[in-house]
Amino acid sequence: MLVILSAPSGCGKDTVLAELFNRAGWLKRSISLTTRQKREGEKDGEDYYFVSREYFQSKLESGQILEHTSYSGNYYGTPKTTVDEWLKQGETVILKIEVEGAVKIKELYPDAVSIFLVPPAMSELETRLRQRMSEGEEEIQSRLTIAVNEMKNAVNYDYIVVNEDLGRAVDDVYAIIISERHRTSRSMHILNEAMTF
Ligand code: 5GP
């Protein structure tokens, strides 16, 4: 099962995801390629694969990227092979991607479950973006403009979760994933096994 998690920048998506993976170590997280600069505290191969534009372009041209986007002047893309292999093995894979990527994934995998994380209010986003002090003023303004547009796309997602209280947001995302895993259409193999003597 593929799970798309989108949220405007500064919404606390990484914190929610970190808590979610603490709770459910069996979830697989796709690590994207990006051409953006590493932020303080980020690790190559853990948060992203930080790559050059040339490298990104070569992966794109050789068909090794499932979907990609240009966001605030940088490229971001989901590696194809890892995701496909995990799906083949029946794993639940989380994609932390923005709205254009989410549309592309839904086209490729109509069964993908999409969750949009929203802040309690837009003013909260600006505060959080400023507090993390990893972007300059121009980048903050660019991210806020993108955020407004992204919020308009939230109506196309399967689920909306508010990130006001971290524990509650993690509970909600976890509950959605568990419920979706138990859908009859995804549980036929369990049913078949249970019916054998
Ligand atoms: P950030 O620079 O804050 O880490 O990420 C910027 C935006 O790019 C976020 O909305 C994040 O979810 C999105 N993003 C990260 N990786 C990918 C990817 O592989 N594909 C797409 N479409 N978006 C991504």
Side-chain angles (χ1 to χ4, degrees):
M1 182 172 104
L2 259 186
V3 180
I4 300 164
L5 185 74
S6 298
S9 187
C11 189
K13 168 177 58 186
D14 290 319
T15 318
V16 169
L17 274 180
E19 284 296 315
L20 183 69
F21 287 112
N22 273 344
R23 181 181 302 190
W26 47 269
L27 291 171
K28 301 288 182 196
R29 185 165 80 90
S30 163
I31 300 172
S32 294
L33 277 75
T34 183
T35 61
R36 88 149 157 74
Q37 292 289 311
K38 209 189 285 177
R39 285 187 201 127
E40 207 179 305
E42 283 184 328
K43 291 202 182 91
D44 189 37
E46 274 184 33
D47 298 283
Y48 284 104
Y49 295 109
F50 295 95
V51 300
S52 67
R53 282 179 171 259
E54 293 71 28
Y55 184 83
F56 192 94
Q57 199 63 35
S58 72
K59 290 282 169 192
L60 200 57
E61 280 163 16
S62 57
Q64 293 178 63
I65 293 186
L66 198 55
E67 64 70 41
H68 74 286
T69 195
S70 165
Y71 179 100
S72 200
N74 286 300
Y75 291 121
Y76 295 79
T78 306
K80 186 171 175 358
T81 323
T82 328
V83 171
D84 280 347
E85 261 167 32
W86 277 335
L87 291 181
K88 233 184 273 165
Q89 291 161 9
E91 302 283 5
T92 299
V93 184
I94 313 281
L95 300 181
K96 185 196 77 170
I97 58 178
E98 50 65 71
V99 295
E100 276 180 28
V103 171
K104 185 79 206 281
I105 292 293
K106 274 280 196 181
E107 276 168 23
L108 294 171
Y109 305 89
D111 276 358
V113 176
S114 57
I115 307 173
F116 198 96
L117 200 61
V118 295
M122 288 306 276
S123 54
E124 185 69 18
L125 271 193
E126 186 165 358
T127 308
R128 289 186 200 174
L129 275 174
R130 292 192 188 286
Q131 272 169 355
R132 77 181 183 195
M133 292 195 297
S134 54
E135 285 91 9
E137 187 56 33
E138 202 181 323
E139 178 68 17
I140 289 176
Q141 291 307 330
S142 158
R143 282 177 179 254
L144 284 172
T145 308
I146 297 172
V148 172
N149 286 324
E150 287 191 317
M151 294 282 281
K152 290 181 189 154
N153 282 285
V155 289
N156 300 318
Y157 281 65
D158 298 318
Y159 297 95
I160 304 278
V161 170
V162 184
N163 187 18
E164 183 160 24
D165 173 79
L166 175 64
R168 177 75 194 274
V170 176
D171 284 348
D172 290 350
V173 173
Y174 186 70
I176 292 166
I177 294 173
I178 297 298
S179 309
E180 285 287 341
R181 277 173 58 94
H182 284 268
R183 265 188 195 278
T184 308
S185 57
R186 290 198 179 94
S187 305
M188 289 313 289
H189 61 291
I190 297 173
L191 192 57
N192 289 338
E193 244 169 63
M195 284 169 71
T196 54
F197 283 94

